[in-house]
Amino acid sequence: MKTAARQLVDRLWNYCNVLRDDGVSSQDYLEQLSFLIFLKMAAEQEEANAKKTNPADHKHILPVTGKWKNRGWTKLLDLEGEPLEEAYTQLLADLGHRSANEDHTTLSLIFNRARNRIENPANLRRLIVDLINEEKWLHARSDIKGAAYEALIARSAQDTRGGAGQYFTPRVLIESIVRCMRPTPYDTITDPACGTGGFLLAAHDYITQEYEKDDLPDSDWKELRTKRIWGTEIVPTTARIAAMNLLLHDIGEATGAPVIEVTDALRKQPTRDASMVLANPPFGRKSSVTVAGKGDEDSDDAIGDATYYRPDFWLGERTTTNKQLNFLQHIGTLLTDKGRAAVIVPDSVLNEGGEKSAGALIRRELLTNYNLHTMLRLPENIFQAGGVKAVVLFFDAVPGFRAETDPPRTGKLWVYDLRTGSNFTLKQRPLQAEHLADFEKQAFSKDDPDRTQRKESERFHAFDAKKLLADASVNLNVGEIDAASSDGQGPMSISELTVNVAQNLREAMSEIEAFAKELGVELPKAQQG
């Protein structure tokens, strides 16, 4: 991260610590930042409009006529104390009401049901005047404003005491997956469980780094920013943060159609397909929603104890409440004829259920009618929730009709084991890009774009799809290497194990001390001797 972006992050995050005393969580703080930054951007747009000679060229982000005249950022700057808190609260309420009744735009998504959660006027004024107002947001470089906002999201996810981001995908893992997938400016890219937009941003960043501005006409770049990248998120608060995150990275337009849709992606058949799907669907095996293959697909059941009818799903007449299995089916139906997908799933997806279970049927479908060519076994302790075991599945849709007598479209499933012999922690030894470099080189070398020159190695092994399908339960929990040979040095010695345990204890103690400090609790000092 650039120095300017890091300094901005530090200033904004330090103020998040101040607001905790007022009961404002890090997630609420991010939401309020989204509102205020958007208001500041609107003011910057109006300032730019005033310099134009032709009023017809003026582009307004917020309404400026009628009761909206002389409201917004400049008005908030003039107020303090209770009048400021009242004006801000009323402005959000009016924008939220207007957003619920206007054409669907990024503006309406961000302010829908907006509420003020900063009830201390002094803190609100400091946030407005000293922090947000000091920066240029509308036309500032996205590598500064966007990186700063995204870093705030990452810090919020690490704030486990606030309950946020227990399955937040590490940025280095996202970037590695995107490098393996190699998106192009002409891909249509989506994430059906996009959270705050990490995969979508990484894909856009990769494209802008790989292709020069002059490589494509401006119309193609605009098409990429406004139509070819989109996501779906079920939680409204997270969706508005994602929309703001993307907007600060120049993806989407304030007054244009939002690139984030707020809904349950599993609810109905997709209305458009994608050539690339990147996703880490929410962990948690069961849902209160059952997805069935038959029924009224126009049903408008409410989220809760309901049934979604998806005749496009692989299970046919079968039903399941397993979220990961349903997301795998949904992602498969999203893909174009030659579409590609990379999805993070828990290990349970690989072997859950018996011979005729939903899991077995879905795994059989992946091997038979898709090309499930690669699996990466992820290390433990890289997610905020401890003990999570997960893998990344890479698979492609294959065009054309496949007869029952044809061989499976997966020839070999190549599995890279990054888990065995690995020892990562969130703070003391986090996953880094260099830890994924060997996987990228062996599995997705640029010198082997069609993946025909792969060779087995200590961590990388191929499994014949026909043999995997011969197992009635289609167990894909394969590829674990011998721990004794995983690093060529045999098992850890007693001294190495002792160091490992000590590191984990130090990390746990540092988190306890930080938590105690926030609560104002003084821990007893360790006695010497």
Side-chain angles (χ1 to χ4, degrees), residues 13-179:
W13 186 253
N14 286 340
Y15 202 64
C16 177
N17 294 329
V18 172
L19 292 178
R20 279 200 185 93
D21 292 338
D22 292 338
V24 180
S25 70
S26 56
Q27 187 85 351
D28 288 341
Y29 177 56
L30 272 174
E31 183 183 56
Q32 298 302 307
L33 277 181
S34 300
F35 299 152
L36 292 170
I37 290 171
F38 204 103
L39 293 172
K40 177 63 161 54
M41 289 170 63
E44 291 175 8
Q45 181 67 66
E46 292 306 314
E47 184 179 348
N49 288 346
K51 298 177 182 179
K52 295 179 180 178
T53 55
N54 184 3
D57 293 335
H58 293 185
K59 184 178 180 181
H60 304 288
I61 295 180
L62 294 181
V64 294
T65 59
K67 73 172 185 177
W68 300 98
K69 193 172 184 179
N70 298 323
R71 296 181 73 189
W73 187 258
T74 53
K75 181 67 174 177
L76 296 179
L77 285 175
D78 292 337
L79 298 174
E80 56 184 290
E82 288 189 7
L84 171 61
E85 192 270 332
E86 292 171 359
Y88 177 58
T89 299
Q90 189 60 50
L91 179 59
L92 292 187
D94 289 344
L95 285 170
H97 177 74
R98 183 178 187 274
S99 296
N101 297 283
E102 70 169 4
D103 292 337
H104 202 33
T105 65
T106 302
L107 169 66
S108 67
L109 188 158
I110 288 177
F111 285 102
N112 187 33
R113 299 182 181 179
R115 292 178 53 197
N116 174 27
R117 302 187 188 279
I118 306 175
E119 298 178 355
N120 184 321
N123 284 339
L124 177 60
R125 178 165 174 78
R126 182 183 166 193
L127 182 57
I128 291 171
V129 176
D130 296 342
L131 294 176
I132 307 299
N133 196 57
E134 290 300 306
E135 303 295 331
K136 294 291 185 183
W137 296 93
L138 186 64
H139 298 298
R141 289 166 50 186
S142 62
D143 62 342
I144 294 177
K145 65 184 182 183
Y149 191 82
E150 192 177 5
L152 283 175
I153 293 173
R155 289 199 184 184
S156 175
Q158 294 165 6
D159 187 13
T160 54
R161 291 176 296 278
Q166 60 177 335
Y167 299 117
F168 181 83
T169 314
R171 178 71 181 186
V172 293
L173 177 58
I174 289 176
E175 291 173 343
S176 176
I177 291 172
V178 169
R179 285 193 295 271

Side-chain angles (χ1 to χ4, degrees), residues 206-238:
Y206 178 90
I207 293 170
T208 56
Q209 290 166 12
E210 290 291 312
Y211 296 84
E212 297 292 335
K213 187 68 176 175
D214 296 335
D215 288 346
L216 302 171
D218 290 343
S219 59
D220 284 347
W221 285 115
K222 182 176 181 180
E223 185 90 0
L224 175 68
R225 291 193 310 104
T226 60
K227 295 182 179 179
R228 292 192 187 130
I229 295 177
W230 76 94
T232 306
E233 172 54 41
I234 192 173
V235 180
T237 298
T238 307

Side-chain angles (χ1 to χ4, degrees), residues 244-264:
M244 193 73 224
N245 196 15
L246 293 169
L247 191 64
L248 290 173
H249 284 83
D250 298 328
I251 304 173
E253 294 180 329
T255 55
V259 294
I260 303 296
E261 182 180 6
V262 188
T263 187
D264 186 345

